[in-house]
Amino acid sequence: MEHIRLPKVENVRLLDRVSPRRRRVGTLYLTATHSIFVENESGMRNETWVLHSLVCNVEKQAASASGCPLLIHCKNFQVLQFVISRERECHDVHLSLQRLSQPERYEELYCFSYKPNIDEEERRQEWDFLDLKADYSRMGLPNSLWKLSPVNQHYKVSDTYPADLFVPESATPPVIVGSSKFRSRGRFPALSYYSKENHAAICRSSQPLSGFSARCLEDEQMLEAILRSNPRSDFMYVVDTRPKLNAIANRAAGKGYENEDNYSNIKFQFIGIENIHVMRNSQQKMLEVCELRSPSISDFLEGLESSGWLKHIKAVLDAGIFIAKAVAEEGVSVLVHCSDGWDRTAQVCSVASVLLDPYYRSLKGFMVLIEKDWVSFGHKFSHRCNHLVGDPKEVSPVIDQFLECVWQLMEQFPCAFEFSERLLITIHSHIYSCQFGNFIGNNQRERIELGLRERTHSLWSYIWTNRADYINPLYRPNHSQTQGLLRPSTAPYCFKFWSGLYNRFDRGMHPRQSVEDYLRAIQEETQQLEEQLTSHKEKITQIEQEQEWNVTSKETTFDKSPTVWALGNDLGLANTPQDYTGGFITSSPCQPKADSSLILLPKDLNQTSDSNFSNSSDQESGIADVSCRSPLSEDSTRDADSDEAAYSAA
Amino acid sequence: MEFAEHIKTANVEDVVLRQPLHPPSRGTLCITGHHLLFSDREESSSRQVLLLLRNIDAIEKSVENLLGYPGFFSNAGHSERPTDLSLEDQWDLSSPEKHYSQMKELHERWRLSSVNRDYLVCASYPPAVIVPHSIDDDTLKKAAKFRQGGRFPILCYYHRKNGMVIVRSSQPLTGANRKRCKEDELLLQAVIDGSDKGYIIDTRSSQQAQQARMTGGGFESKSCYSRWKRLHRQMERGKSLQESLIKLVEACGDESHNMDRWLSKLENSKWLSHVQTALSTAGLLAECVERDGHSVLVHGSEGTDCSLLISTLAQLIMDPHCRTMEGFLALLEREWVQAGHPFQHRCAHSAYSHARLQQESPVFLLLLDCVWQLWRQFPLALGFSEALLLRLASQTRRRPNTLKRFRRK
């Protein structure tokens, strides 16, 4: 609080980036965690919340007659331009925001002060929601080929690795330790993904300290062990995700890459993904293109090309495809590394996993994947996402690229993913928001030291509670195209610009209609109608039974035919798949009708409470966004609306 | 079947077919009077490729090598088996008569004129056209003489919300010495009767319009048409649009899979710029009518390409009925087939062809692309899907002059 020089500024204008003539006048409040802009012109109270930790930079521009402009760039790609009438006030806001958006200690981060209305017991359970061991046992581990190694239990061998690691059955602790001494930061080869069907595995490590000629017997044994734990294959791939030139340059520093002559039966492969500095600059350039006021098609395409962003996305996806194909089609194990094995390696391994295993394309599986390949294997979130004030050279949008790769895949396979674009965007903004403890710190050891499990909330259970918001209505797990290995096309024209993320706050720019929301609403409606149908049917059966009973009690046996017909009809209907659920729930037809309406009740309650919860917490987190949902009413007003919209866009 | 006489060899065995994204396959090639048929010999796959001869855009024979003669076929559209078509009830999708009778609001100020009954006044107009009530047929005939190709201003859209209209024509034949035509001025005056002004959207730049005077064309000058305000929006047409498409198709066929090259080729083709210009000009037109509340006259030079393009798009933007399946097909029928877009000339070939014809121009394809872009932005607004657009694109290629034969039940 002591950093807030001015808690409230009156008469502030918020300019619209797309059409600068449209502006809103209001009051800007600075709180300990958020900047809040309250529009006070129109009758409706319109608020814009911006979390301090999402602020990327604050820029004070030259004052003009109308006031002093303050430009705020956010890490979730929101850009806000305020005009404050008095220079003095603008100066104060500028300084306060600058300090507030750059915490110096972990304790200042939002997650430690974020206290939703959840009691302690529940909070602790949040952290048990995802269990990585369960994922390994889903893959069929441990088994006769792979074992859980306790070697890194106290982070002694590698301080950036997780405590629980899977290694080949034949790898003894001395071999592991020896191998780790020959690898950057002690990051020895460990299992990332294992295919139950053909025993092929994806392993990851950092670069070997080979220099120009150094060898390490244990490291060679380690790779041999990995090769042997895939009994059906007589060689393995070692994939270096760096451009060859970078790898060679590293040799001069005593690092480098595996020499095929020293390792038995490896095939060595470079896949040129550029380093974090190139990626940072590329994203910067790409964002500049996004911010152009009214670009021509040429401006946009030229800018996009010169940023190189899509080229880099393609490189990551290409690498993922190479590995996925090696595992699924050739049945060959792969060892992946880059320099330290926590940026490009994480990208490539997780993209390959998404391609390989339908489980990682489900909502829960995707969370597990990020938890495993990114969080536990020590992707340096705090450095890369600039959580604390630090070295700007460490910042890089590595995880952004992974999320975008998944998005590009979703565009190619709209039915293959259980979750929608909204999940990716939510995860993206929470990686940067520091609202949850999941992405704080740089590795598992740091997280334990910070006591995040004890003091913060987990994003995963938050998402799971609100999962209805993230479900992809087109998801078809049984479709032939969505099973097994995904084979995306990597022709350049398959890569699109993700305006849903990079321009998500420019609402005036594209008034989009969401097919997804529409489908979701239809699905909900269908479900309700089906439930009604079941209850009506039940009522009919009940009435018929009563009638039948009456009839039989009167002993007029001739009049039975309508009942028989009705029963037969009923049975016939029950064969349509949508009737099964209803049939199962109301299994005994003799139950009184009140019972069936009870079945509907809890569902409704759940839904309303869910949406309440999500609304309130959205506001808390400062995501001003996502859904412009009015599922059912939308339909009726659609045409009139789109009229307006269509030509304002054009 | 006089076509069949040209077949020298009907059957070729042992032909290898290479297609992008497919493994090469070996089979038999048959040539019939209308189709080229390739069937795979391998038992496992029953792949058949049926290619309409009309769809072949270019054929190349490359140097003989050991494998045989590799022939490159590039086809400009998908081929599929003909579905049963019943000829009845397919030809009256929409006509000015029908259009007029459906619009009761129109009747007060507009009438249906059959001045072009025998296609004598304007060869490219339908027999019946909608014109202002106060203008008689003689005036129309005189006005037609003042417009290129006789395409005098006729109504193409009536905006129910405010009674404003879109009218289209070809350029006035003012020529170098600024000729005038009283009847044409009267006709335009009648269009905006009761309103203080109207807009003319000229699909050429003002410089191009000035130049057109040298060849007998021109534009409506301020002094003669005092209540009309001219807006110039330069739109690409003719050959350069064709060049643009050729570059685009070439970029799509690039097999280097290089992102930078793709983006720069895409940019270089300028196709998307043309799409953008078309959509923003249509947006301007819609804005004039809907927001500004004034009637608009659209023309370029001939009035058979860009004018149709933007009047179609503007109707799609403004009128929900045009966004239904039925409405869209009726719109195409009215604005393209009946309005005399020279399909035969414009769609003779596609992007692969080496024959660079003067008249060739993918304006209709540009329209389909623009509609697709609208659909991308408003996926719930259109009553038809991408499939219809694709079908239309290949259909115009195949039978340019019988667009309307196609109608889905």
Side-chain angles (χ1 to χ4, degrees):
Chain A
M1 287 302 273
E2 69 269 24
H3 307 301
I4 301 172
R5 293 163 149 244
L6 196 63
K8 180 180 174 189
V9 190
E10 303 268 9
N11 202 15
V12 175
R13 274 162 295 155
L14 176 61
L15 304 188
D16 191 298
R17 208 164 63 76
V18 179
S19 50
R21 268 176 298 167
R22 260 207 327 250
R23 58 186 59 185
R24 293 183 273 163
V25 182
T27 312
L28 182 69
Y29 298 90
L30 294 188
T31 73
T33 54
H34 290 84
S35 313
I36 307 160
F37 176 78
V38 183
E39 189 182 350
N40 46 16
E41 233 175 26
S42 56
M44 280 215 311
R45 200 179 147 88
N46 199 344
E47 294 176 6
T48 309
W49 291 55
V50 179
L51 196 63
H52 292 323
S53 44
L54 277 175
V55 172
C56 181
N57 65 53
V58 192
E59 203 179 310
K60 203 177 118 200
Q61 294 173 321
S64 67
S66 59
C68 194
L70 192 69
L71 190 65
I72 301 175
H73 282 101
C74 297
K75 293 170 182 173
N76 56 358
F77 312 117
Q78 186 169 21
V79 182
L80 294 158
Q81 192 173 16
F82 291 111
V83 178
I84 300 172
S85 42
R86 281 196 216 103
E87 165 124 43
R88 177 84 225 142
E89 289 174 336
C90 183
H91 182 71
D92 284 345
V93 172
H94 182 219
L95 286 184
S96 316
L97 269 180
Q98 229 166 17
R99 176 62 189 85
L100 289 166
S101 65
Q102 292 178 330
E104 284 159 5
R105 290 169 297 121
Y106 278 118
E107 284 68 29
E108 293 174 17
L109 290 177
Y110 182 41
C111 59
F112 294 109
S113 54
Y114 171 62
K115 298 276 178 276
N117 198 7
I118 294 173
D119 66 49
E120 183 56 22
E121 181 56 31
E122 264 181 77
R123 196 199 58 76
R124 228 173 297 133
Q125 280 170 1
E126 281 181 11
W127 287 98
D128 298 327
F129 173 65
L130 285 193
D131 178 12
L132 287 186
K133 275 194 188 143
D135 186 48
Y136 285 111
S137 54
R138 187 192 60 84
M139 293 189 231
L141 299 177
N143 62 7
S144 60
L145 300 165
W146 294 88
K147 65 178 180 195
L148 182 66
S149 162
V151 69
N152 200 33
Q153 214 44 256
H154 302 288
Y155 309 104
K156 290 260 168 55
V157 178
S158 170
D159 59 349
T160 60
Y161 258 3
D164 297 328
L165 284 164
F166 279 83
V167 293
E169 182 61 39
S170 57
T172 58
V175 168
I176 297 172
V177 173
S179 166
S180 82
K181 294 215 167 99
F182 190 61
R183 297 267 169 186
S184 271
R185 303 295 301 261
R187 293 168 71 91
F188 58 88
L191 183 89
S192 164
Y193 177 77
Y194 170 75
S195 163
K196 244 189 301 196
E197 287 83 35
N198 58 12
H199 306 298
I202 302 174
C203 296
R204 53 186 288 176
S205 72
S206 60
Q207 62 185 338
L209 304 173
S210 55
F212 289 103
S213 56
R215 293 183 61 167
C216 171
L217 190 64
E218 288 92 342
D219 195 56
E220 287 160 27
Q221 286 171 342
M222 187 73 189
L223 262 66
E224 179 74 34
I226 293 173
L227 172 59
R228 255 183 285 133
S229 59
N230 182 1
R232 279 187 234 162
S233 165
D234 51 4
F235 74 98
M236 68 183 279
Y237 286 109
V238 175
V239 171
D240 190 328
T241 56
R242 298 170 292 185
K244 191 171 182 185
L245 220 61
N246 299 18
I248 292 171
N250 262 303
R251 277 165 69 175
K255 298 161 186 173
Y257 54 92
E258 290 83 355
N259 185 338
E260 270 186 333
D261 301 337
N262 298 342
Y263 295 84
S264 51
N265 303 319
I266 66 164
K267 279 194 184 167
F268 189 83
Q269 182 87 30
F270 283 112
I271 292 181
I273 302 176
E274 297 291 345
N275 64 25
I276 57 168
H277 311 297
V278 175
M279 300 307 187
R280 179 178 59 241
N281 294 335
S282 169
Q283 192 190 39
Q284 197 51 49
K285 277 192 191 161
M286 189 259 298
L287 291 175
E288 278 163 22
V289 176
C290 296
E291 279 181 49
L292 292 175
R293 273 259 162 76
S294 50
S296 70
I297 294 274
S298 295
D299 293 339
F300 176 75
L301 289 175
E302 268 169 21
L304 193 61
E305 184 204 337
S306 74
S307 78
W309 182 254
L310 287 178
K311 179 175 71 185
H312 300 313
I313 297 292
K314 179 169 147 60
V316 174
L317 199 56
D318 275 333
I321 292 170
F322 175 84
I323 293 164
K325 282 196 171 154
V327 169
E329 287 175 358
E330 296 180 61
V332 175
S333 293
V334 186
L335 171 66
V336 187
H337 69 74
C338 47
S339 299
D340 289 309
W342 52 45
D343 294 315
R344 286 167 273 199
T345 305
Q347 286 177 332
V348 168
C349 289
S350 48
V351 167
S353 301
V354 167
L355 292 171
L356 278 166
D357 197 332
Y359 176 68
Y360 295 123
R361 306 195 281 266
S362 71
L363 181 61
K364 190 164 183 188
F366 188 68
M367 299 195 266
V368 168
L369 182 67
I370 292 183
E371 188 67 24
K372 179 178 64 132
D373 270 335
W374 293 82
V375 179
S376 87
F377 269 102
H379 174 68
K380 304 203 291 174
F381 279 103
S382 274
H383 284 164
R384 296 288 180 258
C385 306
N386 207 8
H387 288 158
L388 300 177
V389 58
D391 184 1
K393 286 225 155 59
E394 282 283 324
V395 180
S396 187
V398 181
I399 183 105
D400 299 25
Q401 290 182 317
F402 165 64
L403 294 175
E404 181 164 341
C405 283
V406 175
W407 179 81
Q408 301 281 2
L409 290 174
M410 283 162 73
E411 287 289 295
Q412 282 197 41
F413 302 96
C415 306
F417 291 83
E418 191 190 8
F419 49 88
S420 66
E421 179 187 22
R422 197 171 285 163
L423 177 77
L424 302 179
I425 293 175
T426 305
I427 292 177
H428 179 272
S429 76
H430 283 303
I431 285 170
Y432 289 91
S433 75
C434 301
Q435 185 177 344
F436 296 96
N438 302 64
F439 310 108
I440 309 300
N442 293 311
N443 50 56
Q444 205 175 63
R445 193 177 53 91
E446 270 185 38
R447 273 178 214 111
I448 289 179
E449 281 166 8
L450 285 168
L452 291 166
R453 279 182 90 100
E454 287 72 43
R455 298 162 64 195
T456 67
H457 292 267
S458 165
L459 172 66
W460 304 134
S461 78
Y462 164 80
I463 287 178
W464 191 249
T465 329
N466 300 302
R467 59 186 172 278
D469 292 344
Y470 304 113
I471 294 297
N472 169 16
L474 292 171
Y475 181 49
R476 294 287 173 277
N478 301 323
H479 193 276
S480 63
Q481 193 203 34
T482 62
Q483 284 172 329
L485 178 67
L486 292 185
R487 288 185 181 79
S489 158
T490 58
Y493 46 78
C494 295
F495 290 83
K496 299 176 190 168
F497 175 73
W498 191 5
S499 59
L501 178 66
Y502 303 114
N503 283 105
R504 62 184 267 230
F505 290 99
D506 299 330
R507 284 229 210 124
M509 206 161 101
H510 36 166
R512 290 161 301 171
Q513 298 173 318
S514 167
V515 179
E516 233 170 68
D517 288 336
Y518 191 62
L519 283 176
R520 210 171 284 141
I522 290 176
Q523 261 181 357
E524 254 167 54
E525 208 190 330
T526 317
Q527 203 183 339
Q528 277 175 10
L529 288 176
E530 267 163 20
E531 276 161 21
Q532 268 177 22
L533 180 73
T534 339
S535 86
H536 284 318
K537 262 197 213 150
E538 206 178 299
K539 234 191 281 179
I540 293 172
T541 343
Q542 198 186 336
I543 292 167
E544 276 167 356
Q545 270 172 351
E546 273 166 22
Q547 265 181 352
E548 193 183 352
W549 199 77
N550 287 340
V551 169
T552 42
S553 68
K554 280 182 193 164
E555 293 183 348
T556 46
T557 44
F558 293 108
D559 254 81
K560 253 186 175 177
S561 55
T563 335
V564 173
W565 169 81
L567 270 175
N569 194 29
D570 227 24
L571 281 173
L573 274 177
N575 274 334
T576 56
Q578 65 264 37
D579 274 303
Y580 281 120
T581 42
F584 284 134
I585 297 171
T586 57
S587 52
S588 70
C590 301
Q591 271 173 341
K593 105 174 187 260
D595 212 343
S596 65
S597 63
L598 263 181
I599 296 162
L600 291 170
L601 259 177
K603 186 129 219 145
D604 286 343
L605 275 177
N606 269 339
Q607 275 170 352
T608 47
S609 64
D610 273 356
S611 60
N612 281 342
F613 180 52
S614 74
N615 278 344
S616 61
S617 34
D618 262 350
Q619 270 205 343
E620 293 248 352
S621 65
I623 320 168
D625 129 69
V626 230
S627 45
C628 28
R629 291 189 290 175
S630 51
L632 292 170
S633 60
E634 194 180 56
D635 190 31
S636 52
T637 58
R638 192 181 75 203
D639 284 331
D641 263 1
S642 41
D643 244 343
E644 274 257 329
Y647 80 86
S648 69
Chain B
M1 279 258 162
E2 70 274 30
F3 249 13
E5 288 161 22
H6 298 288
I7 301 172
K8 292 186 173 157
T9 318
N11 250 326
V12 190
E13 292 286 341
D14 212 21
V15 176
V16 179
L17 174 72
R18 289 177 209 279
Q19 268 182 307
L21 304 176
H22 285 288
S25 53
R26 198 171 276 275
T28 310
L29 190 69
C30 301
I31 302 172
T32 73
H34 290 108
H35 286 87
L36 188 68
L37 192 106
F38 176 86
S39 62
D40 206 328
R41 280 188 320 186
E42 268 130 75
E43 279 182 14
S44 53
S45 71
S46 55
R47 200 158 129 236
Q48 277 199 352
V49 178
L50 194 66
L51 192 65
L52 193 67
L53 294 178
R54 184 74 191 79
N55 268 344
I56 294 175
D57 206 20
I59 306 167
E60 273 172 44
K61 201 178 97 179
S62 75
V63 187
E64 183 183 3
N65 62 27
L66 286 174
L67 278 172
Y69 294 99
F72 295 109
F73 292 104
S74 336
N75 62 325
H78 296 279
S79 58
E80 72 283 323
R81 283 162 211 286
T83 47
D84 1 274
L85 294 168
S86 72
L87 283 169
E88 298 154 37
D89 193 35
Q90 291 189 350
W91 292 90
D92 62 340
L93 192 55
S94 179
S95 61
E97 289 95 329
K98 209 169 167 186
H99 188 48
Y100 184 76
S101 66
Q102 280 165 354
M103 301 271 263
K104 294 274 178 286
E105 305 91 326
L106 208 60
H107 296 190
E108 196 182 311
R109 288 188 49 227
W110 298 81
R111 69 186 180 94
L112 200 64
S113 161
S114 47
V115 66
N116 196 33
R117 206 178 302 112
D118 307 313
Y119 304 100
L120 289 176
V121 179
C122 170
S124 55
Y125 271 172
V129 290
I130 305 171
V131 294
H133 226 300
S134 55
I135 302 295
D136 57 33
D137 284 359
D138 287 339
T139 317
L140 290 178
K141 275 180 196 158
K142 283 177 187 150
K145 295 227 167 65
F146 187 61
R147 295 274 169 181
Q148 184 172 356
R151 294 175 71 90
F152 56 90
I154 55 168
L155 178 126
C156 69
Y157 174 68
Y158 177 84
H159 196 49
R160 281 198 171 86
K161 214 183 259 173
N162 55 15
M164 292 302 135
V165 296
I166 300 177
V167 176
R168 57 176 156 68
S169 71
S170 61
Q171 64 179 344
L173 301 171
T174 53
N177 42 10
R178 298 176 192 275
K179 261 188 290 179
R180 293 180 61 165
C181 172
K182 196 161 58 68
E183 287 77 10
D184 190 66
E185 284 163 33
L186 260 172
L187 175 54
L188 284 188
Q189 184 57 41
V191 169
I192 48 167
D193 188 30
S195 161
D196 57 334
K197 69 169 175 182
Y199 289 103
I200 297 173
I201 294 183
D202 194 324
T203 61
R204 305 163 294 179
S205 67
S206 59
Q207 203 189 354
Q208 282 172 331
Q210 290 280 0
Q211 276 166 1
R213 283 174 45 209
M214 296 304 127
T215 51
F219 53 90
E220 295 82 354
S221 67
K222 193 79 205 157
S223 54
C224 313
Y225 300 83
S226 56
R227 285 176 135 184
W228 290 87
K229 187 173 164 40
R230 253 182 309 118
L231 302 166
H232 288 277
R233 288 290 181 279
Q234 186 185 353
M235 292 179 68
E236 218 52 68
R237 63 193 78 221
K239 248 175 114 178
S240 62
L241 201 57
Q242 177 74 3
E243 296 289 330
S244 172
L245 177 69
I246 290 170
K247 283 186 189 161
L248 176 75
V249 170
E250 193 206 321
C252 293
D254 189 295
E255 285 186 13
S256 69
H257 281 213
N258 180 319
M259 184 61 78
D260 287 350
R261 193 184 292 184
W262 157 247
L263 286 173
S264 78
K265 279 187 164 181
L266 180 65
E267 195 268 311
N268 195 32
S269 80
K270 297 271 184 269
W271 180 261
L272 284 177
S273 303
H274 303 326
V275 172
Q276 190 193 31
T277 314
L279 278 172
S280 67
T281 312
L284 174 78
L285 173 52
E287 208 154 328
C288 290
V289 175
E290 153 97 25
R291 206 171 273 177
D292 223 41
H294 287 105
S295 293
V296 184
L297 166 70
V298 193
H299 71 75
S301 42
E302 292 173 341
T304 52
D305 297 294
C306 292
S307 321
L308 305 183
L309 175 62
I310 68 164
S311 74
T312 310
L313 286 173
Q315 294 181 48
L316 209 57
I317 289 170
M318 285 191 287
D319 186 0
H321 177 68
C322 291
R323 301 195 284 254
T324 61
M325 177 90 178
E326 192 87 83
F328 181 63
L329 292 179
L331 179 69
L332 291 183
E333 171 72 26
R334 268 198 325 270
E335 290 295 282
W336 291 79
V337 181
Q338 309 242 359
H341 176 68
F343 281 102
Q344 192 92 56
H345 289 145
R346 301 287 185 258
C347 310
H349 292 278
S350 181
Y352 291 107
S353 174
H354 295 290
R356 301 281 154 89
L357 296 176
Q358 210 63 28
Q359 291 278 314
E360 188 71 42
S361 181
V363 192
F364 189 69
L365 192 63
L366 185 62
L367 169 80
L368 296 180
D369 198 340
C370 292
V371 177
W372 185 83
Q373 301 284 356
L374 281 179
W375 170 69
R376 289 286 293 182
Q377 281 195 43
F378 303 94
L380 303 175
L382 300 186
F384 47 90
S385 71
E386 197 179 7
L388 175 75
L389 301 176
L390 286 173
R391 184 79 194 269
L392 283 169
S394 59
Q395 204 73 18
T396 48
R397 205 53 79 192
R398 187 175 310 170
R399 299 237 174 78
N401 51 347
T402 57
L403 171 78
K404 60 170 156 186
R405 165 163 306 176
F406 150 73
R407 178 187 182 189
R408 235 178 242 176
K409 304 262 164 77

